[in-house]
Amino acid sequence: MPEQRFDPHDLAQMAPRYRARFINSLSGFKSANLVGTVDGDGRTNLSIVSSVFHLGAAPPLMGFIVRPHTVERHTLENLLETGYFTLNAVNHPHYAAAHQTSARYDRDQSEFDACGLEPRFVPGFVAPFVAQSPLRIGLRLVAHQPIALNQTELVIGEVVQVMVDDAAVQEDGYIDLEGLGVVAISGLDSYHQTDRLSRLSYAKPEHPPHRLTLSGQPEEDA
Amino acid sequence: MPEQRFDPHDLAQMAPRYRARFINSLSGFKSANLVGTVDGDGRTNLSIVSSVFHLGAAPPLMGFIVRPHTVERHTLENLLETGYFTLNAVNHPHYAAAHQTSARYDRDQSEFDACGLEPRFVPGFVAPFVAQSPLRIGLRLVAHQPIALNQTELVIGEVVQVMVDDAAVQEDGYIDLEGLGVVAISGLDSYHQTDRLSRLSYAKPEHPPHRLTLSGQPEEDA
């Protein structure tokens, strides 16, 4: 297939918005999560992020990138103030509402109200969850470190609460995100459903991987 | 729908492999990329990673997490030695081969050979690209910082080369990953194709987002 090649000069020449869309597309499909926070006065905030990533299982750690000089600044201020935040998986019926949280609302206007999403509070946990999300995670802030190269911040939280629709958790611990209708993001603004190709067995040098069922059993035994 | 709730005690009680699958599922869909590196003796290495994320467009920066005490150690050693690495999007026909790169091969055995993937070299760029990948990115190492919480390393590269199949780049800069057959990952071992719901317009507080075509035009105008 014919291909386009871009060198540093080509990349530098791109108009800023073209480059933003192009570079944001390079990393591949991204997770779609809503970050829920609250400030010391009880004002809730909700912001979609596509940079959440797994950092480790023991202890259970997740990270994401905040741009403090954008609409995301309230999220950062709030989670630094209270020490807690939530991550709520975005599912198909609510992807447009989730996208709308990226609009630049005033601090006094909660994105929950503005975007038609419902906060849910859990006793003993200060940050708001999203009632409509099928996978809701409560995290305690454990680290934040500046990325000096571009004035972003890496935020790291330890998972302390997980609420997930019952049928999704498989017997081997895998969570069926696809069955929950969780969406993926590409670029700045494209939302996608998924269609499972397969789970694959743990890779070993001696032989190729074999396909696993949703519940993690070898397909031939299923 | 009935839901399961997990508190810190429940999470701590999980058996290690169950917990690994469970916690790895929490972040949502993940990107599927092959990291290509070479050592000073010309021995190539290829490793699948699901933690690549967009860090910024200007300068164009991408990051990923390396676990230095796992099979990924060769990747880290090589990119620190040469200062360059590649990220190659994994597409549908090659997802099982890409998964197989996570097996623990000896240093002298290249994952390219072992997994049936072909290295492609570009003049003036030391690290190997994956010939079968429809989106190949060359990066210069610009930072690496330890995450003290769990002995992982955040690696950050600046994009200096992009090669992509011609038809995928839209007029507004968005790259049609779905059209390229790029896959997403969930959990440790599940691979997914995607099905676009829509692109959405830039969010503004006054009105809900509207749907965009693949090329970024409002749908009603298309």
Side-chain angles (χ1 to χ4, degrees):
Chain A
M1 193 178 284
E3 70 178 29
Q4 279 186 276
R5 180 164 168 188
F6 301 87
D7 66 19
H9 178 75
D10 300 323
L11 297 168
Q13 292 277 55
M14 289 177 176
R17 294 178 69 173
Y18 184 100
R19 183 170 53 217
R21 295 190 196 92
F22 184 89
I23 301 293
N24 267 279
S25 300
L26 294 179
S27 54
F29 288 100
K30 302 185 264 197
S31 54
N33 285 284
L34 288 161
V35 187
T37 57
V38 65
D39 70 11
D41 298 324
R43 293 180 296 189
T44 59
N45 189 279
L46 194 63
S47 179
I48 191 166
V49 290
S50 63
S51 60
V52 172
F53 57 91
H54 171 81
L55 193 55
L61 300 175
M62 300 169 71
F64 72 102
I65 303 295
V66 183
R67 292 169 171 68
H69 304 297
T70 68
V71 65
E72 293 170 358
R73 70 195 181 285
H74 295 158
T75 294
L76 183 63
E77 291 165 5
N78 288 356
L79 66 84
L80 292 177
E81 183 171 358
T82 67
Y84 289 89
F85 60 103
T86 68
L87 293 172
N88 305 268
V90 175
N91 61 350
H92 176 188
H94 305 292
Y95 81 95
H99 181 79
Q100 183 64 12
T101 65
S102 61
R104 190 174 286 271
Y105 292 105
D106 292 336
R107 178 133 206 163
D108 284 330
Q109 184 168 23
S110 172
E111 291 82 4
F112 280 101
D113 298 332
C115 304
L117 295 165
E118 187 188 333
R120 178 181 293 181
F121 289 94
V122 166
F125 197 85
V126 67
F129 295 88
V130 177
Q132 287 90 342
S133 169
L135 172 58
R136 304 182 291 285
I137 308 161
L139 301 103
R140 180 174 64 84
L141 177 68
V142 290
H144 62 105
Q145 48 191 77
I147 307 286
L149 291 160
N150 69 347
Q151 293 83 50
T152 55
E153 289 257 349
L154 170 61
V155 172
I156 301 174
E158 180 173 353
V159 177
V160 293
Q161 296 278 346
V162 178
M163 284 162 285
V164 56
D165 287 354
D166 209 14
V169 183
Q170 303 299 307
E171 58 196 66
D172 70 350
Y174 173 71
I175 302 174
D176 180 15
L177 299 177
E178 183 165 298
L180 293 173
V182 172
V183 302
I185 296 177
S186 68
L188 285 170
D189 57 22
S190 188
Y191 294 84
H192 306 256
Q193 290 181 288
T194 62
D195 185 19
R196 177 172 289 104
L197 292 160
S198 185
R199 294 184 62 185
L200 293 177
S201 60
Y202 188 82
K204 296 180 176 174
E206 313 82 57
H207 53 73
H210 53 266
R211 295 165 63 96
L212 302 178
T213 63
L214 174 58
S215 65
Q217 301 301 312
E219 267 199 354
E220 52 268 39
D221 301 352
Chain B
M1 193 180 280
E3 71 178 29
Q4 278 185 277
R5 180 164 167 189
F6 301 86
D7 65 19
H9 178 74
D10 300 324
L11 296 168
Q13 292 277 56
M14 288 175 176
R17 294 178 68 173
Y18 184 101
R19 182 168 56 218
R21 296 192 195 92
F22 184 89
I23 300 294
N24 267 281
S25 299
L26 293 180
S27 54
F29 287 100
K30 301 185 266 198
S31 54
N33 285 284
L34 287 162
V35 187
T37 57
V38 65
D39 70 12
D41 297 324
R43 294 179 295 189
T44 59
N45 188 280
L46 193 63
S47 179
I48 190 166
V49 288
S50 62
S51 61
V52 171
F53 57 91
H54 171 82
L55 193 54
L61 300 175
M62 300 169 71
F64 72 102
I65 303 293
V66 183
R67 292 170 171 68
H69 304 297
T70 68
V71 63
E72 293 170 359
R73 70 196 181 285
H74 295 159
T75 294
L76 183 63
E77 290 165 7
N78 288 356
L79 67 84
L80 293 177
E81 184 172 357
T82 68
Y84 289 89
F85 61 103
T86 68
L87 293 172
N88 306 268
V90 176
N91 62 348
H92 175 185
H94 304 291
Y95 81 95
H99 182 78
Q100 184 64 11
T101 65
S102 61
R104 189 175 286 273
Y105 292 104
D106 291 337
R107 179 135 205 161
D108 283 330
Q109 184 168 23
S110 172
E111 291 81 5
F112 280 100
D113 298 331
C115 304
L117 295 165
E118 188 189 334
R120 177 179 296 181
F121 289 93
V122 166
F125 197 85
V126 66
F129 294 87
V130 177
Q132 287 91 342
S133 170
L135 172 58
R136 303 181 293 284
I137 309 161
L139 301 102
R140 182 174 63 83
L141 177 67
V142 290
H144 62 104
Q145 49 191 78
I147 308 285
L149 291 160
N150 68 348
Q151 292 84 52
T152 56
E153 290 259 348
L154 170 62
V155 171
I156 301 174
E158 180 172 354
V159 177
V160 293
Q161 296 278 346
V162 178
M163 285 162 284
V164 56
D165 287 354
D166 209 14
V169 183
Q170 304 298 306
E171 58 195 66
D172 70 350
Y174 172 72
I175 302 174
D176 181 15
L177 300 177
E178 185 165 297
L180 293 173
V182 173
V183 302
I185 296 178
S186 68
L188 285 168
D189 57 22
S190 188
Y191 294 83
H192 306 256
Q193 289 181 287
T194 63
D195 185 19
R196 178 172 287 104
L197 291 160
S198 186
R199 292 185 63 185
L200 293 178
S201 61
Y202 188 82
K204 295 181 177 176
E206 313 84 57
H207 53 73
H210 54 266
R211 295 165 62 98
L212 302 178
T213 63
L214 174 59
S215 64
Q217 301 302 311
E219 266 200 356
E220 54 267 38
D221 300 352

